[in-house]
Amino acid sequence: MQIEGGTAGYAASPRLVEYIVSLTNNLSRKLNQVLPDAYHLATEEQTNKLAVCLGDGSYYDKHIDNLGGSSDAGDQRKLTALIYLQPPNSHDGQPPYPNEKVEDDPRGGYFRAYDVPEVGDVTCIAPRGDRLVVFWSDSLVHDVSPSFAPSEDDKRFALTTWL
């Protein structure tokens, strides 16, 4: 679903929020059923963020989403799901995952996972539209490389949900 700006877009926004809340509630319940031995995900509390990188060099420093690692520390986030919302052909010209390289693409905006699959490795994931990245919030060290957008299609739109 794409929401245009202005009055019509603003009027449609609450429906998008309701959709995302419903989706994340149901997703938490389903994952708890399918993965009963994994983390128990909160079914009543999720967090969502829409990040828009306009190509001005914006980035995220290296971090872990949930440093507490448990709900006892007050942070309920256990699973991070990130979906890129720009056009599916965004970041064309890159080799397929896992051979994507930040250095080879001046547009940037890459999700970088550290020590994956082995200590010392850095796995780079291009922000291609319709791509979903899912990881445990309390263990994956990651960042986002500086984002530069020579065209509208190169802007980085990422919806992040923490369950």
Side-chain angles (χ1 to χ4, degrees):
M1 169 184 243
Q2 181 173 342
I3 295 181
E4 300 296 329
T7 306
Y10 183 78
S13 294
R15 287 197 174 162
L16 178 60
V17 171
E18 290 172 13
Y19 172 77
I20 291 169
V21 168
S22 176
L23 176 69
T24 55
N25 277 334
N26 289 314
L27 183 59
S28 293
R29 286 185 180 91
K30 189 64 174 175
L31 287 172
N32 285 337
Q33 291 172 357
V34 174
L35 303 169
D37 296 330
Y39 292 115
H40 178 76
L41 303 176
T43 57
E44 301 303 321
E45 186 176 334
Q46 295 83 28
T47 307
N48 304 291
K49 176 178 80 172
L50 176 61
V52 180
C53 296
L54 301 177
D56 55 359
S58 55
Y59 63 94
Y60 288 99
D61 284 327
K62 192 185 295 187
H63 66 282
I64 295 175
D65 287 349
N66 176 358
L67 286 175
S70 73
S71 58
D72 297 339
D75 194 336
Q76 297 286 324
R77 300 177 298 171
K78 296 178 182 169
L79 188 72
T80 301
L82 168 89
I83 187 164
Y84 294 106
L85 302 173
Q86 58 269 25
N89 62 345
S90 60
H91 281 265
D92 276 352
Q94 277 289 303
Y97 174 83
N99 298 313
E100 298 165 330
K101 300 286 184 227
V102 174
E103 307 82 42
D104 297 340
D105 189 345
R107 295 167 291 191
Y110 280 64
F111 179 92
R112 296 184 293 199
Y114 292 86
D115 298 329
V116 176
E118 295 181 19
V119 173
D121 289 348
V122 178
T123 299
C124 300
I125 301 173
R128 292 185 178 154
D130 291 343
R131 181 169 272 178
L132 176 68
V133 179
V134 180
F135 57 92
W136 294 118
S137 304
D138 63 351
S139 59
L140 185 71
V141 177
H142 62 284
D143 70 9
V144 175
S145 69
S147 178
F148 302 97
S151 73
E152 279 293 311
D153 286 346
D154 294 320
K155 291 181 179 177
R156 181 180 175 274
F157 297 87
L159 175 63
T160 304
T161 298
W162 291 276
L163 306 174

